[in-house]
Amino acid sequence: MKHVILGTAGHIDHGKTSLVKALTGVDTDRLKEEKERGITIELGFTFLDLPSRIRLGIIDVPGHEKFVKHMVAGVWGIDLVALVIAADEGVMPQTREHLDICRLLRVKKGLVVLTKIDLLDRELLELVKEEVTEIVQDTFLKNAPILAVSSVTREGIPQLLSALDLLSQEIKERSSEGLFRLPIDRVFTMKGFGTVVTGTMISGNLSLGETVQILPSGSEGKVRNLQVYGRSVEKAVAGERAAVNLQGVETSAVERGDVLTRPNTLSPTQLIDAYLEYLSDAPRPLKHRTKQRFHVGTSLVNASIFLLDREALAPGESGFVQLRLERPVVALHQDRFVIRGSSAIQTIGGGVILDGHPDKHRRFSSSVIADLSLLKDGTSEQALRQHIHHSGTGGITLEDLLNRVEMPPGDVQSIIRQMEGRGDLLFIDPEKLKVIAKGPYQVLRGMALAQLGEFHQRFPMKFGLSKEELRTKLPPEVDVKLFQILISELIQSKEVVLEKDKLRLSGHHFSSVDEKGLAKRVEAAVLKGGLQPPSSKELSEEWSESEGEVRAIFEHLVHEGVLVRIKSEIYFHHVSFESLREQLVTYLKSHREITTPQFKEMTKASRKYAIPLIEYFDQIKLTLRLGEKRVLRGSSQNTEKKLP
Ligand SMILES: Nc1nc2c(ncn2[C@@H]2O[C@H](COP(=O)(O)OP(=O)(O)OP(=O)(O)O)[C@@H](O)[C@H]2O)c(=O)[nH]1
Ligand SMILES: [Mg+2]
């Protein structure tokens, strides 16, 4: 059976609830307060089976201006709207506001119902019809049927039923292939069963016994019982209204505005890119960074609106915005939203979500605007490609992609495979369907090659870099799998060689054949120099070798741990250095402190060496300088006391 959802809309007391009762026999005003005050406060739900075997779910909304937030939650995601106008009163403020909301939310179709015609002369009815024609002029209801009824005498009700039947046939059935998502509009406790949540199945399907997740809190529970229009079912699908009995979830842990979904499919967000249409009857221009009420799904949060492409948004204008939310919500590409003012509480605009997980943007950036324009006007497929291309050197998973585009997982997968076939992307992890686009991959490849090149330049004597060393030089988001793919590809393309566990550029001519035996000679000379070793400059002059070559050997020996570099141009052999260090520690343990002259005496070296040495000991935090003296850092006596 096909499922279509109808919502009511219209000013307070115009006869919405009475109309639903006339159609279905059900009074959807359940609350005591609603009965007493004769108004609707909460959303009401019922259904109707139409002659053409379509089940029409009905959501009855309140007309009171105080409860517009409930109205928005109710009509978010409906297929059809019945704009109800009492013929004896005509168009009123919430008639217009509800119409604006339905238009901003892109409700597909609908009709206008003039109620209470039993109270009115027929001539007056024509006047009301004219008024209606005027307000719907530039909206989706422009050519919609206008029906006149009385819920008391039932005049016009059969015609209304036929009109609803016709319209419902025109509504395209939703695919139940998409990601399961149910924005929660009611939460209550059922004695003996526990927590029950209700809502419209926006997309996907849900079965009995499944584990579900509540967002943004992330708490999980099991579907113990599932009902669609009051009947227990095994499975609920997109387009139906479902009541889900949750096992393992406290009623207090869920509220209207939360979203029910499957674990690890959607993630909440507090930063959203959107295209905002600012209503022409908004009271004043919208300034950058103003805080307003943001409605998406059944949720309502405060949002600061950052204008990305202009200083202010004048009434009637539209622009790209970034919304920073006070609390997280679930929002996907192409979801519609409504903005209501935070001081004068009225609907001032609305629009479409472009990206639910963007980066923070700079304002007035032409590349940001170009990207957002594509997300706005392009197809879901184009949006998907853009997200893959922009995913950076870490790649992106199927899960992340499904969070950012409104597309059935199967479609996303087939596009990914298509892109792979064309060489537009690479699989990092075929199991998790993690991919990296060609552009970022090329960037990463360039980084790896540059790192190797730089290494060769610094250490011409070294054979190459180990894989682990190279990995630490790449961005942290590069995971093990991606790194392995990169290395094997570089080796396969013969740009890099793996030899003796080291990676090197194949073009690098490794001068391991230190023909002149310079390394050995440098080591011997420095060792012989003890605490007054020769510099690379001195040795190169003495041996008539190029200074650059000798300095490279010094650096190589530092890298190998043979020499210790104290300061530029002062290198000690590690044996001399270590023995001095031991001597110093022993001295300080017995004398507690040492002056510079005393240290100089210990090294028997000139100031040229002694001063950099003692400063180096400070630098490596072996010693602590206190005026003219030095002590061991971290009381050595304490350490000794601790020893048994
Ligand atoms: N005579 C007459 N009275 C009607 C008709 N429809 C509704 N009423 C009366 O109008 C009043 C308001 O009707 P409701 O159906 O509660 O109006 P509503 O639009 O649901 O009101 P809210 O939900 O509070 O916005 C009630 O007293 C109804 O009995 C009608 O067709 N004819
Ligand atoms: Mg009502």
Side-chain angles (χ1 to χ4, degrees):
M1 191 182 240
K2 179 170 156 183
H3 288 88
V4 172
I5 300 204
L6 168 82
T8 60
H11 198 73
I12 186 165
D13 257 355
H14 276 203
K16 299 178 287 298
T17 307
S18 308
L19 182 70
V20 170
K21 192 170 176 198
L23 286 169
T24 64
V26 176
D27 182 2
T28 50
D29 280 352
R30 301 153 284 122
L31 304 180
K32 192 164 157 255
E33 192 187 351
E34 290 179 321
K35 299 266 188 236
E36 277 168 12
R37 292 171 65 184
I39 62 165
T40 304
I41 297 170
E42 285 293 342
L43 298 171
F45 306 102
T46 183
F47 71 97
L48 177 66
D49 283 338
L50 294 167
S52 57
R53 293 188 39 81
I54 294 174
R55 182 156 287 182
L56 187 67
I58 301 176
I59 302 178
D60 181 43
V61 308
H64 196 298
E65 62 173 327
K66 266 201 180 150
F67 307 126
V68 176
K69 61 177 183 193
H70 298 174
M71 182 271 175
V72 181
V75 296
W76 198 90
I78 61 171
D79 302 300
L80 285 177
V81 66
L83 182 64
V84 173
I85 303 169
D88 60 338
E89 234 182 20
V91 172
M92 295 295 280
Q94 268 63 53
T95 317
R96 292 178 192 277
E97 186 170 17
H98 286 193
L99 178 60
D100 277 337
I101 290 169
C102 291
R103 192 176 60 74
L104 291 167
L105 293 179
R106 294 288 185 273
V107 173
K108 299 173 201 99
K109 286 175 187 293
L111 39 71
V112 179
V113 187
L114 303 177
T115 55
K116 311 195 186 182
I117 54 164
D118 52 301
L119 302 176
L120 192 83
D121 280 343
R122 296 294 133 145
E123 287 125 62
L124 285 177
L125 194 61
E126 286 313 308
L127 284 180
V128 180
K129 279 189 185 168
E130 270 170 39
E131 198 189 2
V132 169
T133 313
E134 210 180 296
I135 67 157
V136 299
Q137 213 173 53
D138 298 320
T139 74
F140 66 105
L141 289 181
K142 189 174 173 196
N143 298 313
I146 301 174
L147 290 115
V149 306
S150 163
S151 300
V152 174
T153 66
R154 295 192 64 82
E155 184 186 347
I157 295 292
Q159 290 84 340
L160 173 59
L161 270 171
S162 325
L164 287 173
D165 197 24
L166 275 178
L167 275 179
S168 300
Q169 290 173 42
E170 290 169 21
I171 297 290
K172 206 174 128 222
E173 199 163 7
R174 291 176 207 230
S175 146
S176 55
E177 295 304 302
L179 275 187
F180 160 60
R181 178 158 62 134
L182 180 147
I184 295 171
D185 48 35
R186 262 178 87 202
V187 184
F188 54 90
T189 313
M190 227 167 92
K191 250 197 152 152
F193 287 93
T195 306
V196 177
V197 300
T198 72
T200 303
M201 300 271 301
I202 291 297
S203 56
N205 57 73
L206 177 67
S207 299
L208 209 60
E210 274 196 79
T211 299
V212 286
Q213 187 174 42
I214 293 156
L215 294 178
S217 74
S219 48
E220 293 185 7
K222 232 181 173 158
V223 180
R224 185 196 337 224
N225 218 313
L226 188 58
Q227 289 196 347
V228 170
Y229 300 120
R231 266 203 215 128
S232 291
V233 292
E234 292 276 321
K235 187 174 178 178
V237 298
E240 293 180 336
R241 287 224 24 110
V244 188
N245 176 208
L246 296 171
Q247 190 173 2
V249 178
E250 292 291 322
T251 309
S252 58
V254 202
E255 57 184 17
R256 185 202 342 249
D258 288 352
V259 170
L260 196 67
T261 179
R262 280 196 186 91
N264 308 318
T265 54
L266 294 176
S267 54
T269 176
Q270 272 181 275
L271 193 64
I272 289 173
D273 287 346
Y275 189 69
L276 171 66
E277 178 187 335
Y278 195 50
L279 292 181
S280 52
D281 47 9
R284 63 187 73 83
L286 183 74
K287 284 196 237 136
H288 175 57
R289 278 188 99 143
T290 46
K291 198 189 276 183
Q292 311 288 356
R293 289 158 193 251
F294 170 74
H295 295 255
V296 69
T298 53
S299 69
L300 163 60
V301 295
N302 283 332
S304 292
I305 304 178
F306 284 62
L307 301 176
L308 295 178
D309 59 356
R310 62 196 72 216
E311 287 301 342
L313 202 55
E317 283 185 347
S318 299
F320 291 105
V321 298
Q322 186 157 61
L323 305 165
R324 301 197 183 166
L325 313 185
E326 273 180 9
R327 281 180 295 115
V329 301
V330 172
L332 294 181
H333 181 224
Q334 288 172 355
D335 277 356
R336 305 292 312 188
F337 65 92
V338 165
I339 299 281
R340 302 189 78 229
S342 55
S343 44
I345 304 176
Q346 70 183 78
T347 301
I348 54 175
V352 63
I353 308 282
L354 302 177
D355 190 351
H357 295 273
D359 296 328
K360 280 191 179 165
H361 298 309
R362 266 184 308 119
R363 298 178 70 201
F364 305 108
S365 149
S366 52
S367 70
V368 167
I369 301 305
D371 290 349
L372 292 178
S373 304
L374 187 140
L375 293 177
K376 172 177 163 274
D377 300 320
T379 59
S380 294
E381 184 173 334
Q382 285 171 318
L384 177 77
R385 285 172 194 277
Q386 175 158 311
H387 285 307
I388 294 175
H389 284 300
H390 288 196
S391 58
T393 48
I396 191 162
T397 61
L398 177 68
E399 192 181 319
D400 289 337
L401 286 169
L402 290 174
N403 251 299
R404 299 179 81 164
V405 290
E406 174 74 288
M407 251 179 137
D411 292 5
V412 174
Q413 288 188 30
S414 67
I415 292 171
I416 287 180
R417 301 213 184 272
Q418 217 179 66
M419 287 176 78
E420 191 209 11
R422 277 201 229 121
D424 291 346
L425 60 77
L426 268 170
F427 271 101
I428 299 174
D429 186 345
E431 227 163 81
K432 272 201 273 172
L433 281 178
K434 188 173 181 185
V435 299
I436 181 170
K438 198 171 153 195
Y441 180 75
Q442 291 300 339
V443 169
L444 193 62
R445 208 172 180 279
M447 279 183 194
L449 293 174
Q451 286 294 347
L452 284 173
E454 208 171 287
F455 181 80
H456 290 323
Q457 205 166 18
R458 274 191 70 195
F459 308 110
M461 298 295 299
K462 287 251 353 174
F463 199 77
L465 255 180
S466 75
K467 282 189 186 177
E468 271 322 298
E469 279 172 299
L470 177 59
R471 191 166 166 223
T472 59
K473 291 177 192 295
L474 295 178
E477 66 268 17
V478 175
D479 69 12
V480 190
K481 286 203 163 126
L482 174 55
F483 182 70
Q484 276 163 356
I485 290 169
L486 174 70
I487 297 305
S488 356
E489 189 260 321
L490 287 172
I491 293 172
Q492 210 166 22
S493 71
K494 299 206 165 36
E495 279 162 272
V496 168
V497 179
L498 178 69
E499 213 176 316
K500 295 190 203 154
D501 277 344
K502 303 276 177 185
L503 297 165
R504 65 178 164 88
L505 290 180
S506 57
H508 171 68
H509 291 293
F510 168 62
S511 46
S512 66
V513 219
D514 174 15
E515 286 160 1
K516 302 169 196 159
L518 277 177
K520 287 239 146 36
R521 286 163 68 195
V522 167
E523 186 185 347
V526 175
L527 184 60
K528 187 162 160 252
L531 294 176
Q532 303 204 71
S535 69
S536 59
K537 189 162 188 265
E538 286 159 353
L539 288 181
S540 62
E541 276 168 13
E542 192 186 323
W543 299 339
S544 308
E545 295 288 352
S546 102
E547 196 189 330
E549 204 176 334
V550 178
R551 178 168 307 123
I553 302 275
F554 266 74
E555 278 299 313
H556 165 66
L557 291 173
V558 170
H559 196 82
E560 296 287 278
V562 174
L563 300 186
V564 182
R565 187 165 168 271
I566 301 295
K567 201 179 157 183
S568 70
E569 280 303 297
I570 302 186
Y571 300 82
F572 291 88
H573 196 278
H574 77 102
V575 171
S576 323
F577 178 79
E578 281 307 324
S579 91
L580 173 65
R581 174 198 175 101
E582 270 169 36
Q583 209 183 335
L584 176 63
V585 170
T586 315
Y587 182 94
L588 285 173
K589 278 186 179 162
S590 55
H591 295 78
R592 286 205 176 174
E593 54 187 44
I594 192 165
T595 62
T596 310
Q598 283 164 339
F599 180 70
K600 203 169 149 264
E601 174 58 29
M602 178 187 288
T603 61
K604 308 243 176 342
S606 70
R607 285 183 67 82
K608 178 182 160 195
Y609 297 99
I611 302 299
L613 267 169
I614 190 70
E615 281 171 357
Y616 185 74
F617 284 124
D618 291 343
Q619 208 181 312
I620 62 171
K621 299 196 160 55
L622 180 77
T623 50
L624 177 68
R625 184 175 177 164
L626 296 171
E628 285 312 300
K629 291 167 183 164
R630 259 124 181 144
V631 295
L632 266 187
R633 221 182 236 266
S635 167
S636 55
Q637 274 150 351
N638 279 350
T639 333
E640 272 164 21
K641 265 186 208 156
K642 270 187 206 155
L643 294 171

